[in-house]
Amino acid sequence: MSRYLLDKFLYTVDRDPALVERYREDPAGTVAAWEAEYAPRLLNCVTHEATTWLAFDDTERAALAAHDYPRLFELGAHPFLTLTLFIAMFERDHAEPLGFQREYAERLAHMTLPYPDIST
């Protein structure tokens, strides 16, 4: 398991409007393509610098493919990164202001202190 890679996925997808839409429409395909293309990249480095050891495990891949942000939180993904990405994808589906944020809070209401470790 790699909290770093989960956070890297959430961070990089959220900053690319085309990836946000792709992830909304085809989550499993986007996760697979991102893992192959983006996961090896070292952020803020020259393009030829890459790593070969990072990969999602099956649990992480399934949570990302299912848009299961409560499970991502349980796995240690940073809650700010999940919230901002999922707002970008799903706020438009709610008629009321802050509708998605309320749904997010309700779906995470079962979590109690201490929260999962989100350090990377």
Side-chain angles (χ1 to χ4, degrees):
M1 181 178 96
S2 171
R3 288 189 299 261
Y4 168 77
L5 195 59
L6 284 175
D7 288 347
K8 183 178 176 180
F9 175 88
L10 298 167
Y11 176 86
T12 57
V13 171
D14 191 33
R15 276 140 189 84
D16 183 334
L19 273 177
V20 170
E21 292 307 311
R22 184 175 173 189
Y23 183 45
R24 176 183 162 95
E25 299 302 322
D26 179 19
T30 304
V31 170
W34 186 93
E35 191 172 9
E37 182 181 346
Y38 289 86
R41 292 183 189 173
L42 299 179
L43 297 180
N44 303 315
C45 288
V46 295
T47 57
H48 300 294
E49 293 290 333
T51 183
T52 58
W53 66 273
L54 292 173
F56 295 125
D57 66 25
D58 292 340
T59 303
E60 294 165 332
R61 203 174 289 111
L64 288 168
H67 292 154
D68 188 351
Y69 51 87
R71 182 69 180 128
L72 292 170
F73 183 73
E74 291 167 1
L75 292 170
H78 197 286
F80 178 77
L81 296 174
T82 58
L83 180 60
T84 58
L85 174 56
F86 284 87
I87 286 171
M89 293 194 307
F90 298 118
E91 181 68 18
R92 66 188 98 163
D93 297 337
H94 296 268
E96 62 191 58
L98 301 176
F100 178 76
Q101 289 86 328
R102 289 185 180 106
E103 176 187 312
Y104 184 94
E106 289 169 11
R107 290 193 57 201
L108 290 174
H110 70 283
M111 299 296 296
T112 59
L113 293 173
Y115 293 139
D117 182 8
I118 60 171
S119 62
T120 55

